[in-house]
Amino acid sequence: MTVSAAWYLTLAAAMFSIGAIGLLVRRNVLVMFMCVELMLNAANLTFVTFARELNDVGGQAVVFFVLVVAAAEVVVGLGIIVAIYRRRLGATADDIHVLKG
Amino acid sequence: MHLFLASATLPDTITFAIAAAICIVGSLGVVVSTHPVHSALMLVMTLFGVAVLFVEENAQFLAAVQVIVYAGAIVVLFLFVIMLLGVDRAESIAADPLRGQRLTALLLGLLVLAEVVLLGRGRWPTGAHSTAGALNQGTKPNVNVLGTSIFTTFLLPFEITSALLVIAIVGAVVLARRPRRPVGGASSPIPSAKGLTGPPEAEGDDTDRGPLQMGVEDLEDSDGLEAGRPGVPATHGQEGSKS
């Protein structure tokens, strides 16, 4: 019997908050992307915790799909970042705030 | 508070403490590292900590997938992009470009943390049962239970997932393609606009050559390969000036 679910949920909340703060503070687009991955992982941890606590396999199945969607999201997002970097040499989110080519 | 006082054996508690510390330190490292490569490596550390927590919660398959897909594929993709774009230099995060942004972000983050922790420590089970099935089915291992669930209950989302992956691959190829060489000819207005500037140069070059070569050149112009036009007249012009 591992530690109780509340510890896991608290840890997941802390990770989610750190990822959200990083997304708000950092300006490098790649680091912002990594912060999104952190938030996704915190949500995954919550899903697995509830799957164990409620004895329901649905939580783990959802985590499986979240992993697939995260992989697809990273592929498309990094493609967009590469396309942006190819057009201009801006390294931060401030350089692409106009959203026009 | 009764949730915090559940019985836990000592090895499990120690494992959770170490993995949680790794997760927190790694998350903070992702945010405060000035170097993008360091951020990516800290992200790997966090993902391994989460995988340990998955094992601790009897989600062995997800732990393996976490290590293989996240740490093995996604972070490597991040590192590829960092190296490819040449942004692997330290970024100065000492300056605060927007006044008060960090303080506001910190306050908002702490607000989110307090809210989620309060929700997590409340009474969340409503007594409802989903139709996905039980997680602990006697001595059946976790992989069997999860695989059976995915291929029966979640079969349609699983199939949609394959379509999503194909769409993502096609989208990545389209995005990463070099815009100077479109495959389909006049698919976008920019190459056709460039192609309009091409023919005067080509005519100037063609005066040096015979009428037969002019005919071939016009035939090549007439089909849908005008995408390469901005480069072609320049090379012909150089050849013409040499000869």
Side-chain angles (χ1 to χ4, degrees), chain B residues 19-113:
Chain B
I22 286 175
C23 285
I24 294 295
V25 171
S27 308
L28 287 174
V30 171
V31 175
V32 302
S33 290
T34 58
H35 208 287
V37 177
H38 294 171
S39 287
L41 295 179
M42 285 292 184
L43 184 62
V44 173
M45 191 168 106
T46 310
L47 298 177
F48 270 100
V50 173
V52 170
L53 291 177
F54 281 178
V55 172
E56 189 71 11
E57 290 196 286
N58 278 329
Q60 288 90 9
F61 175 73
L62 291 178
V65 170
Q66 172 95 1
V67 171
I68 293 169
V69 172
Y70 255 118
I74 291 183
V75 176
V76 169
L77 199 60
F78 268 113
L79 287 174
F80 264 130
V81 171
I82 290 172
M83 299 298 177
L84 183 71
L85 297 178
V87 290
D88 51 342
R89 54 182 179 273
E91 172 195 7
S92 131
I93 59 172
D96 198 355
L98 231 70
R99 193 188 305 156
Q101 187 204 16
R102 295 207 175 145
L103 189 63
T104 312
L106 202 62
L107 286 178
L108 281 175
L110 290 181
L111 196 64
V112 169
L113 178 64

Side-chain angles (χ1 to χ4, degrees), chain B residues 110-166:
Chain B
L110 290 181
L111 196 64
V112 169
L113 178 64
E115 183 180 355
V116 180
V117 167
L118 277 181
L119 284 176
R121 289 173 62 176
R123 284 194 62 85
W124 20 264
T126 60
H129 292 285
S130 82
T131 58
L135 186 60
N136 296 318
Q137 300 180 2
T139 60
K140 275 178 78 175
N142 168 257
V143 180
N144 290 18
V145 175
L146 187 56
T148 307
S149 176
I150 284 176
F151 285 107
T152 55
T153 312
F154 296 98
L155 184 60
L156 182 62
F158 183 74
E159 298 290 342
I160 295 174
T161 292
S162 61
L164 177 73
L165 285 177
V166 172

Side-chain angles (χ1 to χ4, degrees), chain A residues 1-2 4 7-8 11 17 24 26-27 37 41 49 52-53 55-57 60 67-68 70 75 80 85-86, chain B residues 3-4 7 12 31 33 47 56-57 65-66 70 91 97 101 113 124 130 132-133 135-136 142 161 176:
Chain A
M1 180 68 188
T2 181
S4 66
W7 286 107
Y8 283 95
L11 174 66
S17 303
L24 290 173
R26 292 304 298 265
R27 303 190 168 268
E37 299 302 316
N41 262 280
T49 303
R52 179 191 62 140
E53 194 66 22
N55 193 16
D56 188 353
V57 77
Q60 293 196 5
L67 280 172
V68 177
V75 167
I80 291 174
Y85 273 69
R86 184 176 289 156
Chain B
L3 294 167
F4 282 96
S7 65
D12 286 332
V31 175
S33 290
L47 298 177
E56 189 71 11
E57 290 196 286
V65 170
Q66 172 95 1
Y70 255 118
E91 172 195 7
Q101 187 204 16
L113 178 64
W124 20 264
S130 82
L135 186 60
N136 296 318
N142 168 257
T161 292

Side-chain angles (χ1 to χ4, degrees), chain B residues 161-218:
Chain B
T161 292
S162 61
L164 177 73
L165 285 177
V166 172
I167 292 169
I169 291 170
V170 173
V173 170
V174 169
L175 282 171
R177 197 184 50 180
R178 212 168 266 284
R180 297 238 178 109
R181 285 184 292 159
V183 179
S187 60
S188 66
I190 298 174
S192 63
K194 285 179 181 176
L196 286 178
T197 64
E201 299 173 6
E203 285 179 5
D205 297 332
D206 288 338
T207 54
D208 294 336
R209 284 178 283 173
L212 186 61
Q213 287 174 340
M214 279 181 65
V216 172
E217 183 76 23
D218 290 338

